[in-house]
Amino acid sequence: MPKTSPVTLIHVSTQGTQALAQGPEHDPHLATPTGKPRARAVGLKFPGTPGAHNAITDVPGVEVGYRTLIEGDQVRTGVTAIHPRGKANPGDPVATGYHSLNGNGEMTGVSWIEESGTCQGPIAITNTHAVGIAHAGIIAWMNRYHADLTDVWLLPVAAETWDGYLNDINGHHVNEDTVVEALQTATKTQPDEGSVGGGTGMNCYHYKGGNGTASRLVEYDGTTYTVGVFLQANFGRRHELTLNGVYLGEELADDNPMQEFRTAPQGAGSVIAIVVTDAPFFPSQCKTLARRVTLGLARTGTTGSHSSGDIFLAVSTANAGAFSSKDPKNTKNQQTRAAYGQLNFIPWDAIDPFSAAVVQATEEAVANALIANEDMTGRDGHRSPALPRHRLAEILSRPERG
């Protein structure tokens, strides 16, 4: 199983924190592909064994793409695209479970997910007022690259969190082409984190937030499976913030311009989490995994907010072809397969390690979203400060924390 290289030096400067590690020049457990530090680079520690990149793309077949829009003083937004089975295979439904911790938000397609226990095609995440565009953009991409799958109808999954503090959310800056580009440029490599894609204008615990991801390896019956979590973090109040069990809300209470922003209620914003695993699960078991996101978020301090849309989706990419009588490789001819589908699944009494993996990866994904960030100023001069990594590293290194 992959091991994280130990941190040998943490250098603190006004430009941020750089983690220098033993071994390869780029350690994906310590830095994003663009060189931003991740949570482990500042001394945060997490249980469980991560995958090779400690990211949702460690799950075989998963691809993630971004389109980031930063223009002038007002535009701070974008789109994130996730392909559970990759760009080449969107027609094969995946077992899916949905959970809403608090419903002040939107994720399209959940009525069909609740009805069928499946979803089909890619997932897009963006800002609140662009969720309809994201839905239409998925259809546009499918029609362009997989027209054989759009003859009847599609029920895409598009989700949102609110970026109106930093972004001109009513300016219609996200369009269908934005969505199509995010979907088409998705790759299997380690995704960037922080202020990219749909997470560009987001805030978390009144610090600069955005995208975070993590993964865990779980062994069952001689096979090692991967559980990946990706989230768009835009939730929490500063006084709640807790990392690695260390309450930080009071010590890091200063420099909080969002505290004075009265247009939106404190704690507003939302969080969307996508869990993907290659372990075989029933849809009802996927729902169980989606609920466990709640516990991972709670480890970072949040108690939830009435003004937050906290909506989670979990999918299993196992059991390829099992949820349709049509062969996804021969959709043009609508060739049918055997009359009965068959599912392999992890027994219920063996699900706990997978639930734990979701909790662990969710907690780390939130921390990564916070750490892989810098200050951002946006709409009307609103400023969102980055979590001060040097101060966090100092707090974590205190003898009483050892």
Side-chain angles (χ1 to χ4, degrees), residues 155-352:
L155 295 171
V157 175
E160 55 76 29
T161 65
W162 181 80
D163 61 10
Y165 176 73
L166 290 170
N167 177 52
D168 171 26
I169 197 170
N170 292 320
H172 301 289
H173 303 288
V174 173
N175 56 38
E176 287 190 18
D177 288 341
T178 314
V179 183
V180 169
E181 184 176 349
L183 290 162
Q184 189 58 21
T185 58
T187 70
K188 298 178 181 179
T189 60
Q190 177 192 2
D192 202 5
E193 293 170 283
S195 297
V196 291
T200 300
M202 304 304 169
N203 305 281
C204 187
Y205 290 110
H206 291 175
Y207 282 120
K208 188 66 193 73
N211 297 334
T213 187
S215 69
R216 291 295 184 270
L217 303 180
V218 181
E219 187 170 335
Y220 176 76
D221 195 29
T223 299
T224 299
Y225 295 104
T226 304
V227 176
V229 173
F230 181 98
L231 51 80
Q232 187 164 292
N234 193 52
F235 68 97
R237 303 171 176 90
R238 178 73 63 82
H239 68 81
E240 299 173 322
L241 178 60
T242 302
L243 294 174
N244 266 181
V246 179
Y247 174 55
L248 301 165
E250 291 181 357
E251 193 155 3
L252 298 181
D254 60 317
D255 192 17
N256 187 3
M258 289 192 72
Q259 185 70 34
E260 306 305 319
F261 184 68
R262 302 300 181 185
T263 300
Q266 295 296 304
S270 306
V271 53
I272 298 295
I274 308 297
V275 180
V276 184
T277 182
D278 59 342
F281 287 113
F282 281 135
S284 58
Q285 294 174 309
C286 291
K287 182 183 284 286
T288 292
L289 297 181
R291 286 198 298 266
R292 295 309 186 272
V293 171
T294 304
L295 299 177
L297 297 178
R299 288 186 175 186
T300 67
T302 183
T303 56
S305 169
H306 174 69
S307 300
S308 187
D310 306 332
I311 303 173
F312 320 132
L313 201 71
V315 309
S316 167
T317 60
N319 293 302
F323 288 97
S324 174
S325 64
K326 304 296 188 296
D327 186 342
K329 297 180 181 179
N330 294 286
T331 50
K332 289 184 178 180
N333 298 323
Q334 294 293 288
Q335 295 180 8
T336 59
R337 300 170 307 179
Y340 296 95
Q342 295 181 341
L343 294 177
N344 291 324
F345 65 97
I346 303 291
W348 275 104
D349 59 6
I351 199 173
D352 284 355

Side-chain angles (χ1 to χ4, degrees), residues 8 12 44 50 52 60 62 74 150 167 200 274 295 300 316 333 377 392:
T8 57
V12 179
L44 289 167
V62 175
Q74 303 293 309
T150 62
N167 177 52
T200 300
I274 308 297
L295 299 177
T300 67
S316 167
N333 298 323
T377 301
L392 175 60

Side-chain angles (χ1 to χ4, degrees), residues 354-366:
F354 295 92
S355 295
V358 173
V359 176
Q360 294 163 3
T362 298
E363 178 188 15
E364 186 166 5
V366 173

Side-chain angles (χ1 to χ4, degrees), residues 10-18 37-39 41-44 204-209 238 241 243 248-257 367-376 383-398:
I10 295 179
H11 173 66
V12 179
S13 70
T14 56
Q15 284 73 39
T17 304
Q18 289 182 319
R38 305 184 78 192
V42 297
L44 289 167
C204 187
Y205 290 110
H206 291 175
Y207 282 120
K208 188 66 193 73
R238 178 73 63 82
L241 178 60
L243 294 174
L248 301 165
E250 291 181 357
E251 193 155 3
L252 298 181
D254 60 317
D255 192 17
N256 187 3
N368 284 333
L370 288 164
I371 298 299
N373 250 310
E374 302 294 340
D375 291 5
M376 180 178 284
R383 185 178 68 90
S384 179
L387 189 152
R389 296 186 290 255
H390 60 293
R391 289 177 61 188
L392 175 60
E394 186 275 325
I395 293 170
L396 295 173
S397 67
R398 291 173 184 171

Side-chain angles (χ1 to χ4, degrees), residues 132-164:
I133 297 296
H135 184 282
I138 293 173
I139 294 174
W141 179 83
M142 290 283 286
N143 195 47
R144 183 180 303 180
Y145 295 102
H146 299 277
D148 52 306
L149 299 173
T150 62
D151 287 343
V152 184
W153 69 77
L154 295 174
L155 295 171
V157 175
E160 55 76 29
T161 65
W162 181 80
D163 61 10

